[in-house]
Amino acid sequence: MYEHTFPSKRFQMTLEFLNQHVTAPSHILDLGVKNPFSEIMLKEGYKVTNTGGEDLDEKFDIVKQDFEVVTAFEIFEHLLNPYTVLKNIKAEKLVASVPLKLWFSEAYRSKTDMRDRHYHEFEDWQFDWLLEKSGWEIKDRLKWTNPVNKVGIRPILRRFTPRYYAVYAERK
């Protein structure tokens, strides 16, 4: 997925947000397969276990295991039913981020990878509602933009329209 690009700003913002709320060497279950950000968390001193690529809509028992924190960075938008996963997380802390719905752009869909598609394109209030309804209390939030070095109307809009939304939540 990161063969040609590396989301440096997103990773930097996510790491700063994570470090504000979770101290190393906390044991983290990171939803999603091992990826460059998993490696960054390991280098920061966290103990990280990733899921193995299973379809979390169908097989979510892993979230019932005993971890201090669950992280889910850019995962919930791919699930048909993120409510079930969120409801079943056993950990007391959650750090998650989602890409925000951009009013000037269609939902993301890879034409070559069936699993790299967004079923949900959240607005911040929708993600908040999902978390609250599934038993989480949001303690902190962060939004940021994702400017791109291209010419056009969309690149200009991306300079001031928030693209990512991160939350830190604790079990109610």
Side-chain angles (χ1 to χ4, degrees):
M1 179 174 187
Y2 297 110
E3 299 85 16
H4 305 291
T5 61
F6 191 79
S8 300
K9 180 179 180 181
R10 187 181 77 184
F11 284 2
Q12 175 190 348
M13 298 296 288
T14 302
L15 182 62
E16 288 173 8
F17 190 75
L18 176 67
N19 285 335
Q20 284 178 3
H21 301 291
V22 179
T23 56
S26 294
H27 195 184
I28 294 174
L29 171 63
D30 185 32
L31 301 184
V33 297
K34 196 171 189 176
N35 60 74
F37 194 75
S38 306
E39 296 297 323
I40 290 170
M41 288 190 294
L42 286 167
K43 287 178 186 169
E44 286 287 311
Y46 296 103
K47 298 175 186 170
V48 180
T49 301
N50 285 87
T51 54
E54 59 272 38
D55 183 346
L56 294 174
D57 280 317
E58 299 286 337
K59 189 176 180 182
F60 52 84
D61 284 345
I62 190 162
V63 300
K64 295 180 181 180
Q65 293 181 21
D66 199 19
F67 290 91
E68 295 171 65
V69 180
V70 168
T71 57
F73 302 120
E74 319 303 313
I75 294 296
F76 292 125
E77 68 274 11
H78 298 278
L79 301 179
L80 298 177
N81 186 12
Y83 175 84
T84 302
V85 174
L86 286 162
K87 187 79 174 166
N88 283 285
I89 291 173
K90 187 176 176 182
E92 294 295 316
K93 296 178 180 181
L94 172 71
V95 181
S97 65
V98 292
L100 291 172
K101 180 179 178 9
L102 296 172
W103 54 270
F104 54 85
S105 185
E106 294 180 359
Y108 174 74
R109 179 176 65 164
S110 170
K111 302 221 188 287
T112 57
D113 184 352
M114 293 293 289
R115 297 183 77 179
D116 189 18
R117 296 179 174 186
H118 291 183
Y119 185 77
H120 300 278
E121 291 272 321
F122 293 101
E123 292 184 36
D124 56 357
W125 70 268
Q126 291 171 306
F127 193 56
D128 289 354
W129 187 25
L130 175 64
L131 290 167
E132 290 163 6
K133 191 155 175 94
S134 59
W136 295 94
E137 183 179 352
I138 298 169
K139 300 291 188 177
D140 195 14
R141 301 168 170 86
L142 176 68
K143 288 189 222 180
W144 66 92
T145 61
N146 185 43
V148 293
N149 292 324
K150 294 182 180 177
V151 176
I153 293 173
R154 284 186 183 181
I156 290 170
L157 293 172
R158 288 183 192 275
R159 293 196 178 278
F160 60 87
T161 304
R163 178 61 174 143
Y164 295 104
Y165 181 53
V167 297
Y168 167 68
E170 294 178 358
R171 190 51 85 187
K172 288 182 186 175

